[in-house]
Amino acid sequence: MRPDVVTFWHGPLDRLRQTCLRSQVAAGHKVTVYSFDTIPGLPDGVGNAEAEAILPHAFSERLRPPQPDGSWRDWTTLQFSDFFRMRLMAENTGLWLDADVLLLKPVELDVTKPYFAWERPRQLGNSVLYLPPRDPIVTAFENLLARDELTLDWLALRHRLTFALRRLGGGSNRLSDIRVAIFGPAALTALARRAGELQHALPKQSFYAVHAEPRLFFEPTDFSKLIADPAIIGLHVSPKGRGGQKPIAGSLYAWAAERFGTR
């Protein structure tokens, strides 16, 4: 089936994310962005839903204290979205796509099975994610949210040691401070392995062909093989600060902006 697409966004949308959201609509998906505030510049055809009903804003304070003005600090948005996508899976809302996933074709999936892809040789990506609502991975996150402390029972040994040493040394007692992706791809990979679900993972080329090399997207290059490759369903762009830049002529980004109407 062709699922609805859901995601979370906090703050203004840049040019790249507008392009990617338009590509998701163009692929024939119903797209909904969850947020706490109204999002200026949301593309036509993209819905907006209240995030508070899925995961309260106050949960962010369990990750790290806000700035004096109440705004979120450094990693908060990324880690909050790691939990938010799992809550969307629990609510059976559809397929999660990061707002910087450019779709080249529609996504078709079996709603009884997990849907994700390898981002690296030994790590799954969570930028593209579907899990049945009663999947063991979803249950693990629901159980985690119910605890007083966000202590992962699937935490890798090296992270357990790092956390223990920090606490003994008088450092942070928040697991969220260990690394930015502690609740993201590393957690998804560990839980998928524990649940015996790694066999469902799609090849890296499905969505992560340019993820580690943003130059292939933002800089002039021969991208004809990328857009013609039948194995590539979409591209997680990972802009690394380039999301607001104007597309450069001859780049894959310029092609996408022209195709999906963002200039």
Side-chain angles (χ1 to χ4, degrees), residues 153-199:
D153 61 12
W154 61 84
L155 197 62
L157 177 60
R158 68 182 185 278
H159 294 141
R160 291 179 187 273
L161 292 173
T162 299
F163 188 45
L165 290 172
R166 285 195 181 190
R167 299 183 77 168
L168 287 172
S172 172
N173 63 355
R174 292 173 181 264
L175 186 61
S176 54
D177 290 331
I178 294 296
R179 58 179 294 203
V180 63
I182 198 73
F183 305 113
L188 175 63
T189 306
L191 288 170
R193 181 178 293 110
R194 189 168 77 177
E197 295 182 341
L198 291 178
Q199 75 271 16

Side-chain angles (χ1 to χ4, degrees), residues 95-97 100-108 115-119 125 127-129 202-212 231-238:
L95 168 73
W96 170 282
L97 294 181
D100 54 7
V101 171
L102 184 82
L103 278 190
L104 301 181
K105 62 184 70 172
V107 175
E108 304 285 347
Y115 189 89
F116 39 56
W118 292 108
E119 178 185 303
S127 301
V128 177
L129 179 67
L202 297 171
K204 175 184 175 181
Q205 199 73 355
S206 301
F207 290 101
Y208 297 100
V210 303
H211 169 75
I232 296 179
I233 302 167
L235 299 167
H236 179 234
V237 179
S238 187

Side-chain angles (χ1 to χ4, degrees), residues 138-153:
V138 177
T139 300
F141 266 85
E142 290 290 279
N143 292 339
L144 179 60
L145 284 166
R147 297 174 190 159
D148 292 334
E149 292 188 11
L150 299 175
T151 304
L152 313 182
D153 61 12

